[in-house]
Amino acid sequence: MKTPGMPPLIEYFKDIQAPRVERNTRHSLLDIIVVTFLAVLYGAEGWEDIEEYAQCKEPWLAQFGLLKNGLPHHDTDRRVFTSLIPQQMEECFMAWVRSIKREIPREVIAIDGKTSTHTAG
């Protein structure tokens, strides 16, 4: 569910382009990017972890219109991410961070969970 006043993450990555062959695009680029991003925020440390996250969260992700064509294999995730332009990903990520910073009255936004679990050093 969308938090009131907070822009959805999906909006910030929807215009990213990747050089993909049309016949090899069963899974939406946006699905792969957003699910990977969420999985990494959740603690995924590799492509297999990302695939496992998607399997566990599939019903929840489907509420946002993600994974309409099922779950991409971890090899698909890896292949797609290696084709992306890092600068474009960084720009989208930073736009998202700036948008949530306006909503959160703190100087630092911890996205790794250490502050919320009191393990920040």
Side-chain angles (χ1 to χ4, degrees), residues 24-78:
N24 292 337
T25 57
R26 176 176 171 209
H27 302 287
S28 153
L29 177 61
L30 186 59
D31 284 2
I32 292 170
I33 291 170
V34 171
V35 171
T36 299
F37 183 80
L38 293 172
V40 170
L41 285 177
Y42 193 76
E45 295 183 1
W47 300 114
E48 291 85 2
D49 289 351
I50 293 164
E51 183 177 18
E52 185 176 337
Y53 171 86
Q55 289 170 346
C56 293
K57 299 290 186 179
E58 186 174 11
W60 178 75
L61 294 165
Q63 293 176 21
F64 302 98
L66 298 170
L67 304 175
K68 291 177 185 165
N69 292 325
L71 302 169
H73 189 269
H74 63 268
D75 287 335
T76 300
D77 293 338
R78 178 190 48 76

Side-chain angles (χ1 to χ4, degrees), residues 5-7 12 87-104 106 109 111:
M6 195 175 275
Y12 288 87
Q87 182 181 359
Q88 195 177 32
M89 287 293 294
E90 179 183 358
E91 289 170 4
C92 293
F93 174 76
M94 292 307 297
W96 175 72
V97 168
R98 284 189 295 277
S99 75
I100 63 171
K101 181 165 179 9
R102 287 192 295 266
E103 303 291 330
I104 301 171
R106 293 185 63 174
I109 299 173
I111 60 172

